[in-house]
């Protein structure tokens, strides 16, 4: 799917993409947000915590 990957690359280089990446970095530094993300990933994988 080269078209989709190209769109993702373009988005990541755009100001909106950079803002989104910065928000993710800030959220990942917060222990409470990190735990929420871990819990969500566990649910997506089919495990319940």
């Amino acid at each position: 799917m080269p078209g989709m990957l190209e769109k993702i690359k373009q988005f990541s280089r755009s100001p909106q993409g950079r803002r989104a990446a910065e928000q993710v970095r800030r959220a990942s530094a917060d222990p409470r947000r990190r735990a929420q993300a871990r819990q969500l990933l566990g649910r997506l994988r089919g495990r319940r915590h």
Side-chain angles (χ1 to χ4, degrees):
M1 241 192 220
M4 181 62 87
L5 290 177
E6 191 58 38
K7 286 182 182 183
I8 292 170
K9 285 181 190 178
Q10 287 175 356
F11 176 73
S12 68
R13 292 180 189 134
S14 73
Q16 292 165 325
R18 290 188 188 128
R19 262 195 304 275
E22 183 57 33
Q23 286 177 341
V24 168
R25 273 189 221 104
R26 266 188 266 123
S28 69
D30 180 3
R32 192 179 68 209
R33 293 279 184 201
R34 207 177 223 159
Q36 287 175 340
R38 223 177 276 126
Q39 190 176 36
L40 175 63
L41 286 173
R43 274 187 270 162
L44 290 174
R45 291 180 182 147
R47 292 181 291 174
R48 300 262 181 217
H49 287 210

